[in-house]
Amino acid sequence: MLGDIQSWLTERDETYDFALASGVLYHMADPGEFLRLLASRTKAVFIWTHFVLEDAMPEGDVRRLPFSGKVETRMVDGVPVRYYERSYHHANANASFCGGMKDRHFWMHRDDILMLLRKLGYSDIVIRDENLNHPGGPSFSLLARKAPDAS
């Protein structure tokens, strides 16, 4: 779907066996809420995303330039999640821009992504292709699955 995926998830009540969220999470204005909504609609999800990990992106790392330095903690489903404010420097106003819908967006800390997914019911999480040296910032892909319903 093109458009506001968080609104789309809010307006629907269908559930799915699997969702693919590749290159989506780190563009969100509220990534934790996106994960919460996604978890309410799918039993399994594949995610490829950038994330914050201070050791991988120390002070002076050029990949930190788009970050404002502001970090806020939001509660998502009872889990404290750190949001690192980032900007496209208004590149999103250009018609050729292919990132998120809003200039102000947030990256989540690696640990917080995993902690929140577990809290949202994904008990089986497999991480692949973690790349702390990705030119855009640390990244990984993961497959998160909920335990099958006991019948």
Side-chain angles (χ1 to χ4, degrees), residues 34-52:
F34 168 69
L35 289 178
R36 190 190 70 74
L37 289 168
L38 194 60
S40 71
R41 301 277 178 257
T42 187
K43 298 173 189 173
V45 62
F46 173 87
I47 297 170
W48 180 90
T49 191
H50 289 294
F51 55 80
V52 171

Side-chain angles (χ1 to χ4, degrees), residues 67-115:
F67 290 90
S68 71
K70 295 178 186 171
V71 181
E72 59 185 78
T73 300
R74 296 187 192 175
M75 296 301 289
V76 180
D77 210 42
V79 175
V81 178
R82 291 165 283 183
Y83 279 33
Y84 295 79
E85 186 181 54
R86 197 170 182 280
S87 172
Y88 299 121
H89 300 287
H90 304 289
N92 60 315
N94 186 316
S96 66
F97 180 71
C98 63
M101 295 173 53
K102 300 181 188 225
D103 184 59
R104 183 175 184 244
H105 58 285
F106 297 91
W107 283 19
M108 293 172 65
H109 193 281
R110 180 190 188 279
D111 298 344
D112 296 353
I113 295 169
L114 299 173
M115 183 172 45

Side-chain angles (χ1 to χ4, degrees), residues 1 15 27 29 48 61 90 92 115 121 125 142 145 149-150:
M1 295 301 274
T15 57
H27 290 294
W48 180 90
D61 189 319
H90 304 289
N92 60 315
M115 183 172 45
I125 301 173
L142 63 83
R145 294 179 289 196
D149 293 335

